[in-house]
Each structure stands twice: as C-alpha cells, then as structure tokens.
Amino acid sequence: MRRSDVTKWLTYALGVAVVWMAETLFLNRLPIFGVIPVLLPLAGVAVGLWEGALEGAVFGLCLGVFADAIYPGFPGGMTLGLCVIGWLTGVMSQYRVRQNLPGYLICAVAATAALALARSAAALLSHLGAARDILSLAGREMGCSLIYAIPVYLLFSLLHRLVTKPVRGVRL
C-alpha cells in the first residue's frame, strides 16, 4: 500500500469522525420530526461514489462494523447493509450515475430508503410494534437524515479533492 493510499483512507476516516461527532454531539439534541438523523450511511455513499465498487464495499464494511458498534438495533445489519451500499454506489458511479451532487443525491436517497426498509422489515419480523408506527418512524428517520445529505456531500467532496490532487510537474 502506498503512502498516498494510507493518507487517502485516513482522510476519509477523519471525515467519518467529523460526521459521527456532529451526529452524536449536536444533532441528537435537535430531533427533527421526533427523530435524529443517521449520517454514517451518507458518508459511505460519498466514498463509494468516488472510489468505486471494491473500495466502496471495503469502506462500507468498515463503516458498518463501526455503525453496528454505536447504533442500537440489529447486530450485523449495518455491517452488511453499508457494505452492499458502498459496493452498489461504486457500481452505479462506474456505469450509470455521475460523480457529482445529483448523482450522490440519487444514491443517498436509494441507500437511505433501502436501509429504512430493511430495518423496518427486521422490526416487523421481531414484532417490535405496529406496521404503521414502524414505517412512520422509518420514513421520518429517512427524511431527517436526507436533510443533511448536502453537507455530508460537501465535506467528502472537499476531502476527495484533497486526496486526489494531481501532482504538479509530473507528466505521464
């Protein structure tokens, strides 16, 4: 692994730390629609968008392990979910979706919807509440999280530009 690769992944990890701290230190005190946002999946989408399928999946896997450790709920669900989301976002960015804000928003909506449906299905199968209440909560959480999609995109866009600067004076 090259030094530039280590720097890139440490920079993305720093971005995750910023997003996580914003979510847990500030945003959890300001519920919207009675829920707090879940922002780590949005970070996974951003990295998958720019780094591709394999790197998106590996980053999503690592992010998912971290998310499963900090979010209550169904153990292993975020690990698998964020790995798949990172991979699918990377595939979409390579073949269908542009690596820009509209492309990110498309992937972010799809990712948050998929996670909301998966978590809702698990809650329904576990008989944790009425379907109407579970789906309402999932919809509100999804909407609340997507409010912060653009700031997460801007942060990771800046980080991506920092770690992919062309080297001046080098001709290939």
Side-chain angles (χ1 to χ4, degrees), residues 112-170:
T112 55
L115 282 175
L117 287 173
R119 291 172 76 184
S120 296
L124 288 170
L125 291 172
S126 299
H127 304 290
L128 294 179
R132 182 183 61 152
D133 296 334
I134 290 171
L135 293 174
S136 171
L137 178 63
R140 288 182 288 138
E141 186 177 88
M142 183 180 155
C144 180
S145 298
L146 287 173
I147 289 171
Y148 298 99
I150 292 176
V152 171
Y153 171 83
L154 293 174
L155 171 65
F156 278 89
S157 175
L158 172 67
L159 296 176
H160 175 70
R161 282 182 282 161
L162 287 174
V163 297
T164 58
K165 277 186 182 176
V167 178
R168 294 177 191 225
V170 175

Side-chain angles (χ1 to χ4, degrees), residues 1 3-15 47 51 54-56 58-59 163:
M1 183 176 260
R3 177 180 282 172
S4 61
D5 290 336
V6 171
T7 301
K8 174 175 66 174
W9 294 112
L10 287 176
T11 302
Y12 285 145
L14 177 65
V47 172
E51 298 301 328
L54 178 61
E55 290 87 353
V58 172
F59 185 81
V163 297

Side-chain angles (χ1 to χ4, degrees), residues 5-131:
D5 290 336
V6 171
T7 301
K8 174 175 66 174
W9 294 112
L10 287 176
T11 302
Y12 285 145
L14 177 65
V16 168
V18 169
V19 168
W20 175 67
M21 287 190 316
E23 180 182 328
T24 57
L25 297 177
F26 303 110
L27 299 178
N28 67 348
R29 289 164 172 60
L30 306 167
I32 300 172
F33 312 123
V35 296
I36 59 172
V38 178
L39 302 182
L40 291 181
L42 299 175
V45 168
V47 172
L49 185 74
W50 288 301
E51 298 301 328
L54 178 61
E55 290 87 353
V58 172
F59 185 81
L61 179 71
C62 296
L63 190 59
V65 169
F66 178 67
D68 273 329
I70 63 170
Y71 292 140
F74 304 98
M78 291 296 271
T79 300
L80 177 62
L82 291 180
C83 181
V84 170
I85 283 170
W87 176 72
L88 284 175
T89 301
V91 168
M92 292 300 291
S93 74
Q94 289 172 312
Y95 298 108
R96 296 280 180 222
V97 175
R98 290 182 173 247
Q99 296 174 330
N100 58 14
L101 179 59
Y104 170 79
L105 291 174
I106 289 167
C107 292
V109 168
T112 55
L115 282 175
L117 287 173
R119 291 172 76 184
S120 296
L124 288 170
L125 291 172
S126 299
H127 304 290
L128 294 179

